[in-house]
Amino acid sequence: MVWWHEEVSPGIWVGFTGADAGNLAFHVGGDAGEVRANRAALAVELGLDTAPAAARLQFMDQVHGNDVAVVSAGDFAPEAGPTADAMVSLGEPLAVLVADCVPVVLVGARADHTPVLAVAHAGRPGVATSVVPRTVAAMRGQGAVSIRAWLGPSVCGACYEVPAALRDEVAAVAPASWSTTSWGTPALDLPAAVLAQLAAAGVAAQRIKACTLQERGLFSHRRFGREGGSQGRFAGVVHARH
Ligand SMILES: [Zn+2]
């Protein structure tokens, strides 16, 4: 169910779900009851069922913007969240939903070891408008003095075909995004661009290398558009578990 899951610092876990965890997004037209059940099963899988009720997994309403919301336990009703493409918390578990865009999970801490956690949704618009550097800045605004980042599976630079004009437009602001598909047409390499943005911000990052379009154990919006099959979103998560 959790495609990749690792304790990245004592008691702090980063994970990315697989398609076998089911669709986790309410907005893609699936059955809401099924999404609710999938989210509940994921919380149990992550060990969040034993946490205080307030420490549930917080999702957001992603709009391909670059707003960063600082969230606390109890800010939102169940199933509600901020309209944003990144969130920062002081330990509350967070989730970002994707199916080709880059899910970015960040973990930092204050000097007194209070965790400063974040997730960001870095699709083409988010990469072009620096949603990830803005997230790093928001974490530092919360006092984070050490930050590391993990990039989950996304469509890769050899698969993400775009019109030449769009490649030029994004590469003008994020040069590392300039790419060519494996069949020789203009493309964008979003994970490369995010890695460059993180490096420029002084944040060490690890990329979990997998292409959503090629890896059938993950959801891909582009593959769904071409082949149909199951429509869904998988999640990048960060949470505490002691
Ligand atoms: Zn690929």
Side-chain angles (χ1 to χ4, degrees), residues 11 13 68 77 98 104 139 141 190 192 219:
W13 291 73
V68 184
V98 291
V104 185
M139 293 176 77
L190 297 183
F219 288 117

Side-chain angles (χ1 to χ4, degrees), residues 73-116:
D75 279 358
F76 299 96
E79 296 180 16
T83 298
D85 286 87
M87 291 186 289
V88 174
S89 82
L90 298 180
E92 287 77 26
L94 305 174
V96 55
L97 295 170
V98 291
D100 289 340
C101 294
V102 187
V104 185
V105 177
L106 302 103
V107 174
R110 288 177 170 169
D112 68 359
H113 304 298
T114 304
V116 182

Side-chain angles (χ1 to χ4, degrees), residues 154-160 182-183 207 210-215:
S154 66
V155 65
C156 81
C159 286
Y160 184 25
S182 55
W183 54 98
R207 179 181 171 206
C211 174
T212 44
L213 194 65
Q214 293 164 298
E215 169 60 64

Side-chain angles (χ1 to χ4, degrees), residues 212-213 215-216 218 220-228:
T212 44
L213 194 65
E215 169 60 64
R216 287 176 181 275
L218 299 162
S220 167
H221 182 62
R222 286 211 156 196
R223 176 156 33 84
F224 175 77
R226 286 178 193 173
E227 302 175 7

